[in-house]
Amino acid sequence: MPAKNRLKIGIFFGGPSREREISFAGGRTVYDNLDKSLFEAIPIFIDSRRNLIKLDWQYIYKGTIRDFYPPVKFLPDSPNHFQIYAESLGVINHEEQIAIAQSVGEPVQWAQLSEMIDFAFLALHGVFGEDGQIQGILDGLQIPYSGSGVLASAIGMDKAIQKRLMKDAGFAAPNIEIIERKAWIEGNPQLIFDNAIKTIGFPIVIRPANQGSSIGVAILNESLDLQLFVDKVNQAFFIQIIEASLWQSMSKEQRVSAIQQITDIRDGIGFPLELDGKKIDHPESLLTYLNEQSDRDPSRQFSLQSYLTENQVILESFIHGKEFSCIVIRKEDGSVIALPPTEIIKGKEVFDYRSKYLPGLSRKETPIHLPDADIENIRFEVEKLFVHFGFNTYARIDGFINDQGLIYLNDPNTTSGMLPSSFFFHQAAEIGLNPSRFLTYIIRISMQERMNTELERHGLEQKLAKLDASILTEEKIGYEKLKIAVILGGYSFERHISVESGRNIYEKLSSSSKYEPIPVFLLGNENGHELYQIPINLLLKDNADDIRDKILDFKLHPIIEKIKVACKDITEKYAAKSAIFEPKLLSYEALADLCDGVFIALHGRPGEDGTVQRKLDALGVPYNGSGYAASQITINKFDTLQILKENGFKVAEQHLLSRSDFKDNPATSLDWIEQTFGYPFVAKPVDDGCSSAVKVIRNRETLTNYLWALFRDTTMLTEDSRAALKLHPKEEFPAKDQVLLESLISSEGASHFLEITGGLLTSYVGKDLVYEMFEPSEALAEGEILSMEEKFLAGEGQNITPARFALDDDGYKRIAAQVKGDLERAAKILGVEGYARIDAFVRIFPDLNAETVIIEVNSLPGMTPATCIFHQTAINGYKPYEFIDRILDFGKQKMDRQLRAISSN
């Protein structure tokens, strides 16, 4: 589509709310998935002071907002390296705010928006996102936007108002009590608790009135512990009490860790905060104040109250039943239809932030596992509430259904998370719409909604007609696209991250005008595997196990088939014509006939070990990454480092211990390990990544528990072992035949010591293979090992790109050249091609000489949306799609060369 015919879509994300990181990640998803032939995406970042910034595209692919904003040069000194948001800069004038904004993009005034964009796509959450504030501003500017209008948004935000209106309208509702902030602070907690027990009973659900993503939510089971109740209500009001005596008993490290927890706007109270009538903006200031005041009066108590606060907290009775979430959409004919409701499968725990957004920790069933009549009743109720509240375009409505079939709708939302596997995309996929095409539908129907609900017409008819014409033209013209099979899943402990990587690749390719991606799922075990082409609804399931189960027991559900028929007018206009609706078993030969190339998005075995590559080589199918020989080496951390050691690299001391050797004589093995390594040292699987079962061992008890767990004969790990190893709920721990023991890499007298990860890309220049080394990222870990959460959970980890090798440019260039040279030499020694990620520690000495100690080499690095390799490629000018395109182009060139060499022989 010619650029002049494309609508300019402003994507609004970030904002001041506690959910800003999910908004940031969702905005990136929308930016990547907008159909590039129909739309021009314009990223509009809203900072926590409500400033608008047309964000430079490089920053969209940072892992968290704090990775780029505020920019490093504007950060105050922080000896403890606290991560902060812009509000922790304190009071700064308008000129300073403009200067900060200019460091990451172009500051935008509200009055300028009408000239910049045709439509506002709101990927915002919480305050100034889904509460009607920004909707009112956009109405005043006569800019159409996605979702509901002002009144419906305000209702959708305020859970206390929702519950009153729903009860008045006859919707089933749990018993509730509302606590006002002033009454809580000045009142008698015992009386409030006693009243809650009397009117609500146990369990008691405690929730803030205006927060999403389960932030501040707690469940109080049967307990008369007043202090526990006070703590949970304070948590919902974002108030934290600290005893000075407890603070004094903490070590320096424990105090810093406590401040980090307070700083977190999801689990803590965040900054700025009020203490003793003073406003405290920065974590360092709070640390200093607590230290000083606790020394003065060890008997006192500190009451920290966040400025990101709540005025009401809701207490409600716990609903026993199945939990669900359902997307409701408006159709072009004005009618409303509920998509198939999804069951949230969990135990007694809260469906919290971590469970919602970390791959592999939640399970969802679509449609909910109930008789058809109950499913239809849920759909009827959510459609009725959608209409009752006057929602527009779409909504996500959550609820419960108990054993008697009574339906409780407890959380109507006028917006939804926009992550790849969110309910928003997940349920649209059930009727055959991939994320790119569903976004097109949402933009189009939002324009129609604005046109139908506004009292003042201002050219929306022309914009709507223009979009309809573009959709029709695109469908008529069509594109001869290259078909790329994206292979994801597998059976390793990295399979869930593989699904995230594969989905991201699929989405980047599906919104392009060059490629048509085909999702292919690999399942099996170490004895063999199979390939299945899967429909889009399976691709967007929560995790690899969910996809696997659906493939092995695939059924066409009558409710979904009924909804498909009802949505036929939508799918005929918006769905891809090549869409399939059930999984299809593929041989490698059939795969070769189906596609022009393959993107292997697998992690661990098979995939990173060369198994898939060897089969594709035999069929002449181009693919991404290294070939069989290099993959066979890099999958094994022991072989990789031993080869590098033989070639002059300094590496950790290593030893492989087998299951049989350990079990034949456990005591002797433990003694030998202690004598050889001493404590602490690192234990890890030799061929798993994603921080799977990587642990710093500090004593014999931990070592014993670790080895018996890793070498267990059962599939499941006992609860005692899980507790001893301090595993998170649902965190997997592999069973292996070998364990890799490594000395703990330390600074060894270096003046600066850091953990880094560096990416690379190869290309052909004539006959030569050329390596392009990216600027390495510095990986920051809150614990001893960089966790899976820090690597993959939106807003959790922090990577600094480029790494902080030196304070000045000349020093940085000198050290970076050494490090990148070491990484390139390692890649060449190992025969790595295409692209890769190399993890290492770097010791920097006073003379600026650097020593690179390589940890591992990933021949198929993670390609999740926020992975730091995209931060690195951005510095070299590649958007993620362009990087993926270069990877695929290289794979084709490499295969063409191999085939020519074979034919010439």
Side-chain angles (χ1 to χ4, degrees):
M1 191 70 61
K4 66 178 182 179
N5 291 330
R6 294 187 299 166
L7 287 175
K8 295 179 180 179
I9 308 297
I11 303 167
F12 290 72
F13 57 108
S17 84
R18 293 178 180 273
E19 299 173 82
R20 68 188 71 163
E21 292 290 1
I22 290 304
S23 169
F24 179 66
R28 176 173 54 234
T29 303
V30 176
Y31 182 83
D32 282 337
N33 279 278
L34 282 185
D35 189 325
K36 295 173 178 61
S37 63
L38 297 175
F39 307 114
E40 178 186 348
I42 299 173
I44 307 292
F45 174 67
I46 302 180
D47 74 6
S48 49
R49 299 175 189 269
R50 294 170 170 77
N51 294 309
L52 301 182
I53 305 168
K54 182 182 177 184
L55 199 65
D56 290 346
W57 67 263
Q58 294 92 333
Y59 298 107
I60 296 170
Y61 299 102
K62 294 294 186 180
T64 78
I65 293 169
R66 292 175 297 178
D67 283 349
F68 71 93
Y69 198 85
V72 172
K73 66 181 179 180
F74 292 98
L75 295 177
D77 290 338
S78 179
N80 294 289
H81 306 293
F82 290 122
Q83 304 171 28
I84 64 168
Y85 290 102
E87 54 263 41
S88 284
L89 296 179
V91 178
I92 57 176
N93 61 38
H94 179 70
E95 288 71 24
E96 290 173 310
Q97 293 185 46
I98 293 297
I100 292 172
Q102 287 174 333
S103 296
V104 297
E106 175 189 338
V108 176
Q109 299 301 312
W110 289 98
Q112 296 175 277
L113 285 176
S114 297
E115 300 300 320
M116 290 178 58
I117 64 175
D118 297 305
F119 180 89
F121 195 104
L122 303 181
L124 296 159
H125 295 277
V127 174
F128 204 70
E130 53 182 317
D131 61 356
Q133 290 190 61
I134 194 170
Q135 288 83 357
I137 294 172
L138 292 169
D139 279 339
L141 294 171
Q142 299 185 341
I143 297 173
Y145 51 86
S146 60
S148 287
V150 175
L151 179 59
S153 296
I155 293 171
M157 176 75 173
D158 191 323
K159 295 177 177 63
I161 292 294
Q162 286 175 7
K163 291 180 184 299
R164 290 195 187 106
L165 294 176
M166 290 166 65
K167 189 172 183 179
D168 290 344
F171 289 91
N175 296 326
I176 70 166
E177 290 288 330
I178 295 174
I179 307 175
E180 302 290 341
R181 182 182 181 85
K182 187 173 186 293
W184 174 251
I185 293 173
E186 298 178 359
N188 185 328
Q190 184 69 64
L191 291 178
I192 295 173
F193 188 30
D194 290 344
N195 186 59
I197 296 171
K198 180 180 178 181
T199 60
I200 296 174
F202 291 107
I204 301 172
V205 180
I206 303 168
R207 66 171 75 237
N210 292 280
Q211 301 295 326
S213 297
S214 299
I215 291 172
V217 177
I219 297 175
L220 184 65
N221 290 307
E222 191 156 355
S223 170
L224 298 179
D225 186 342
L226 174 64
Q227 189 56 54
L228 182 60
F229 175 74
V230 169
D231 290 343
K232 298 302 183 185
V233 176
N234 278 339
Q235 174 183 304
F237 274 122
F238 304 104
I239 297 171
Q240 186 162 341
I241 306 298
I242 298 175
E243 300 291 340
S245 57
L246 177 61
W247 188 260
Q248 282 203 312
S249 70
M250 293 181 180
S251 66
K252 179 183 176 181
E253 291 75 18
Q254 288 173 324
R255 293 181 182 187
V256 169
S257 178
I259 297 293
Q260 287 172 332
Q261 189 276 327
I262 291 168
T263 304
D264 193 311
I265 57 175
R266 299 153 303 169
D267 297 329
I269 64 174
F271 284 85
L273 56 82
E274 181 182 307
L275 174 57
D276 294 344
K278 303 176 184 294
K279 181 185 179 186
I280 298 178
D281 296 303
H282 197 282
E284 293 288 356
S285 301
L286 177 61
L287 178 61
T288 301
Y289 190 82
L290 291 176
N291 289 340
E292 292 174 351
Q293 295 300 315
S294 62
D295 287 341
R296 288 181 184 175
D297 184 2
S299 65
R300 70 162 297 185
Q301 188 181 72
F302 301 104
S303 177
L304 286 62
Q305 300 188 36
S306 177
Y307 274 56
L308 286 170
T309 188
E310 277 287 344
N311 291 321
Q312 294 178 322
V313 162
I314 299 170
L315 308 180
E316 62 185 30
S317 55
F318 183 85
I319 302 168
H320 296 276
K322 289 178 177 285
E323 186 174 1
F324 62 83
S325 187
C326 190
I327 300 294
V328 184
I329 59 175
R330 181 83 66 183
K331 296 178 67 180
E332 289 186 15
D333 64 6
S335 62
V336 170
I337 188 165
L339 297 179
T342 299
E343 179 180 356
I344 302 163
I345 301 172
K346 58 183 178 62
K348 293 182 179 178
E349 73 276 8
V350 177
F351 185 49
D352 62 8
Y353 189 94
R354 185 172 182 267
S355 298
K356 284 182 176 180
Y357 302 120
L358 185 62
L361 290 193
S362 66
R363 296 293 301 272
K364 303 188 183 94
E365 181 75 23
T366 305
I368 186 171
H369 187 63
L370 286 170
D372 290 1
D374 285 336
I375 299 175
E376 290 290 56
N377 287 338
I378 290 173
R379 295 182 63 234
F380 175 80
E381 286 292 300
V382 297
E383 289 174 356
K384 186 170 74 170
L385 187 61
F386 184 98
V387 174
H388 179 69
F389 279 162
F391 289 160
N392 306 129
T393 308
Y394 76 95
R396 194 196 82 229
I397 301 176
D398 302 337
F400 293 84
I401 181 169
N402 67 15
D403 292 341
Q404 290 73 46
L406 187 59
I407 297 165
Y408 294 88
L409 303 180
N410 73 327
D411 196 4
N413 296 271
T414 53
T415 190
S416 174
M418 297 282 170
L419 296 186
S421 63
S422 68
F423 297 112
F424 182 73
F425 295 122
H426 177 100
Q427 293 178 18
E430 295 292 343
I431 62 171
L433 296 183
N434 69 26
S436 180
R437 291 173 181 261
F438 189 44
L439 289 173
T440 298
Y441 174 76
I442 291 297
I443 291 170
R444 197 268 176 212
I445 200 66
S446 292
M447 284 187 172
Q448 179 177 309
E449 289 278 75
R450 298 282 81 77
M451 189 172 69
N452 291 340
T453 57
E454 291 182 359
L455 301 178
E456 183 180 3
R457 295 294 177 92
H458 40 78
L460 268 180
E461 295 93 338
Q462 291 87 342
K463 289 182 180 179
L464 193 60
K466 178 180 177 181
L467 178 56
D468 281 338
S470 297
I471 293 171
L472 185 61
T473 301
E474 182 187 29
E475 197 63 44
K476 284 183 176 178
I477 295 174
Y479 292 96
E480 189 60 39
K481 297 183 178 181
L482 294 172
K483 292 181 171 59
I484 302 296
V486 181
I487 302 180
L488 65 152
Y491 46 82
S492 79
F493 281 79
E494 302 168 72
R495 63 195 181 279
H496 303 307
I497 303 302
S498 166
V499 168
E500 289 291 298
S501 291
R503 270 200 293 248
N504 188 41
I505 299 299
Y506 174 90
E507 290 170 0
K508 298 293 191 295
L509 299 181
S510 66
S511 61
S512 77
S513 58
K514 180 177 179 179
Y515 297 106
E516 180 184 341
I518 300 168
V520 175
F521 191 85
L522 184 148
L523 57 78
N525 53 45
E526 60 274 6
N527 298 319
H529 65 265
E530 296 176 324
L531 302 176
Y532 285 85
Q533 182 183 354
I534 57 174
I536 185 65
N537 65 318
L538 295 196
L539 177 65
L540 296 190
K541 296 297 180 187
D542 272 292
N543 55 60
D545 295 345
D546 202 8
I547 298 173
R548 177 202 62 207
D549 293 347
K550 292 293 184 297
I551 291 172
L552 295 176
D553 187 27
F554 183 79
K555 296 175 183 175
L556 293 172
H557 197 285
I559 295 292
I560 292 180
E561 293 306 296
K562 177 181 177 181
I563 296 171
K564 283 181 187 175
V565 172
C567 292
K568 189 176 180 182
D569 54 336
I570 297 174
T571 53
E572 284 184 343
K573 182 175 179 179
Y574 296 94
K577 299 300 180 253
S578 58
I580 65 169
F581 288 94
E582 50 188 275
K584 179 181 177 183
L585 180 64
L586 294 174
S587 64
Y588 273 93
E589 290 75 16
L591 179 73
D593 291 337
L594 181 67
C595 67
D596 299 295
V598 166
F599 195 103
I600 307 169
L602 299 166
H603 302 307
R605 298 179 187 271
E608 286 192 89
D609 64 355
T611 300
V612 174
Q613 290 86 336
R614 186 158 58 175
K615 290 182 177 292
L616 296 175
D617 279 332
L619 295 167
V621 178
Y623 55 85
N624 56 306
S626 296
Y628 174 76
S631 299
Q632 278 279 291
I633 296 170
T634 57
I635 186 68
N636 188 299
K637 298 181 182 71
F638 181 80
D639 291 346
T640 297
L641 295 198
Q642 292 306 306
I643 290 172
L644 294 178
K645 184 178 180 181
E646 292 169 4
N647 284 272
F649 278 87
K650 189 167 185 178
V651 301
E653 291 300 316
Q654 295 181 298
H655 179 72
L656 282 176
L657 176 68
S658 71
R659 174 197 294 260
S660 58
D661 286 346
F662 172 71
K663 290 198 168 182
D664 285 347
N665 202 328
T668 301
S669 295
L670 292 169
D671 291 342
W672 183 89
I673 292 169
E674 289 179 325
Q675 293 166 10
T676 303
F677 287 94
Y679 296 111
F681 62 90
V682 176
K684 63 177 74 168
V686 72
D687 58 356
D688 272 346
C690 295
S691 301
S692 172
V694 180
K695 192 165 187 67
V696 176
I697 306 296
R698 296 191 175 276
N699 53 58
R700 190 179 183 109
E701 181 184 4
T702 303
L703 175 61
T704 303
N705 283 317
Y706 183 95
L707 293 177
W708 281 113
L710 196 77
F711 292 146
R712 67 188 185 277
D713 296 319
T714 59
T715 301
M716 301 298 294
L717 199 61
T718 67
E719 288 304 314
D720 288 344
S721 292
R722 296 187 66 84
L725 295 170
K726 297 179 180 178
L727 301 181
H728 286 300
K730 301 180 185 176
E731 181 180 347
E732 294 186 317
F733 193 90
K736 294 286 184 179
D737 291 324
Q738 286 184 312
V739 63
L740 178 60
L741 308 171
E742 290 185 341
S743 59
L744 189 66
I745 300 169
S746 60
S747 61
E748 295 190 5
S751 57
H752 189 32
F753 178 64
L754 66 164
E755 184 176 356
I756 62 102
T757 181
L760 63 88
L761 178 68
T762 64
S763 59
Y764 290 110
V765 177
K767 294 182 179 180
D768 297 327
L769 181 65
V770 176
Y771 287 75
E772 181 179 359
M773 308 302 298
F774 301 125
E775 300 300 318
S777 301
E778 179 181 351
L780 302 182
E782 289 194 6
E784 294 177 313
I785 298 294
L786 196 65
S787 68
M788 185 165 70
E789 286 89 342
E790 289 171 314
K791 288 182 177 181
F792 301 110
L793 178 56
E796 186 72 19
Q798 186 181 27
N799 291 287
I800 297 175
T801 310
R804 297 173 296 184
F805 289 136
L807 296 176
D808 61 283
D809 288 344
D810 289 340
Y812 173 83
K813 289 176 182 176
R814 178 175 169 182
I815 296 165
Q818 296 175 67
V819 174
K820 289 194 288 185
D822 289 339
L823 301 183
E824 181 176 349
R825 186 163 68 91
K828 289 178 176 177
I829 289 168
L830 298 168
V832 170
E833 295 178 319
Y835 70 118
R837 192 193 79 230
I838 303 177
D839 299 337
F841 285 98
V842 176
R843 300 185 181 111
I844 301 169
F845 298 95
D847 61 0
L848 297 188
N849 281 323
E851 184 174 73
T852 308
V853 185
I854 291 173
I855 308 169
E856 63 179 284
V857 178
N858 297 274
S859 62
L860 293 176
M863 298 287 273
T864 59
T867 186
C868 61
I869 200 167
F870 290 134
H871 313 170
Q872 298 168 18
T873 60
I875 293 175
N876 286 29
Y878 304 124
K879 291 183 177 180
Y881 165 74
E882 293 163 347
F883 178 49
I884 296 165
D885 185 37
R886 292 286 297 269
I887 292 169
L888 290 170
D889 277 347
F890 177 83
K892 186 176 187 311
Q893 292 176 42
K894 178 183 173 184
M895 184 56 69
D896 288 345
R897 286 170 177 244
Q898 290 176 356
L899 294 176
R900 284 199 297 270
I902 292 171
S903 63
S904 64
N905 291 332

